[in-house]
Amino acid sequence: VVVTALVIAAAGILLPRLRRLIPNIITRTLDALFPFSAARSMALGRMLQNTATLLDAGFSRADALQVAKTATHRPSLSKSCSRIANALETKVTEQEKALSQGALASLEYAMLAEISLSSRVHLLQQLGRCYIEAALSRQNWAAGAVGPIVTCVVGIFVGWIALALLLPMVSFIAVLS
């Protein structure tokens, strides 16, 4: 149990840091195999749902983003929310809007598009649910994968110990005969 906890802790600390050093194609493959971004996806989903709730409560789009970003505790997500809020406050025109790539493009579209308030709230709630479901799916996959991985690691460790015990005996018997 202690070994398992140490392996999980080391993987949780080291793998995200190593991920930044790996080229993009390998990173995308690792994202499919390991849930590195589950916490980010969960934070984005909750932030989208919080923004929808604030908009439904009567906040302006820029104010709702500014309030929702404080609960994310993610610097990159906070910067993106600030950038979108600034674009809303400065009345950016359609031609000047440069949508981000990936997950934040949907947030930018939902906040910058000229749609009704109820449609915007519904869109943000749906996007939030999608990101939360993706995060939960990755976490469930990771929880299911931990058992076989730990079993293999323990098997390798036990095999190594058995070999370490048997090799001296074999060499001792060879010397005696």
Side-chain angles (χ1 to χ4, degrees):
V1 175
V2 173
V3 172
T4 304
L6 289 174
V7 167
I8 291 172
I13 292 169
L14 295 177
L15 290 178
R17 286 177 175 77
L18 290 175
R19 182 177 178 266
R20 294 183 194 125
L21 303 173
I22 299 172
N24 282 341
I25 192 150
I26 297 172
T27 302
R28 279 187 242 120
T29 305
L30 287 175
D31 274 344
L33 297 175
F34 299 103
F36 286 123
S37 58
R40 184 177 190 274
S41 183
M42 184 69 78
L44 180 59
R46 288 201 175 132
M47 195 270 307
L48 287 166
Q49 288 185 334
N50 290 342
T51 305
T53 304
L54 291 167
L55 286 172
D56 204 24
F59 280 72
S60 71
R61 290 184 283 176
D63 290 340
L65 274 174
Q66 293 292 355
V67 172
K69 81 170 187 174
T70 59
T72 63
H73 304 295
R74 296 240 171 223
S76 62
L77 198 52
S78 293
K79 287 178 191 174
S80 298
C81 287
S82 295
R83 186 176 49 78
I84 297 169
N86 289 339
L88 285 167
E89 289 171 351
T90 58
K91 308 283 190 237
V92 174
T93 64
E94 280 296 322
Q95 291 81 17
E96 295 171 339
K97 293 177 191 175
L99 292 180
S100 298
Q101 298 296 319
L104 293 177
S106 57
L107 170 63
E108 286 188 24
Y109 174 77
M111 295 308 289
L112 297 174
E114 296 301 325
I115 56 177
S116 68
L117 177 64
S118 61
S119 297
R120 187 180 321 280
V121 168
H122 185 69
L123 176 61
L124 288 169
Q125 287 173 341
Q126 285 298 105
L127 286 170
R129 278 190 218 114
C130 289
Y131 285 113
I132 289 172
E133 284 178 17
L136 292 175
S137 172
R138 287 179 174 179
Q139 287 174 349
N140 289 338
W141 181 89
V146 166
I149 291 171
V150 169
T151 301
C152 290
V153 169
V154 169
I156 291 169
F157 182 71
V158 168
W160 184 261
I161 297 294
L163 235 118
L165 290 173
L166 292 176
L167 283 179
M169 285 194 290
V170 169
S171 64
F172 183 69
I173 290 172
V175 169
L176 287 177
S177 53

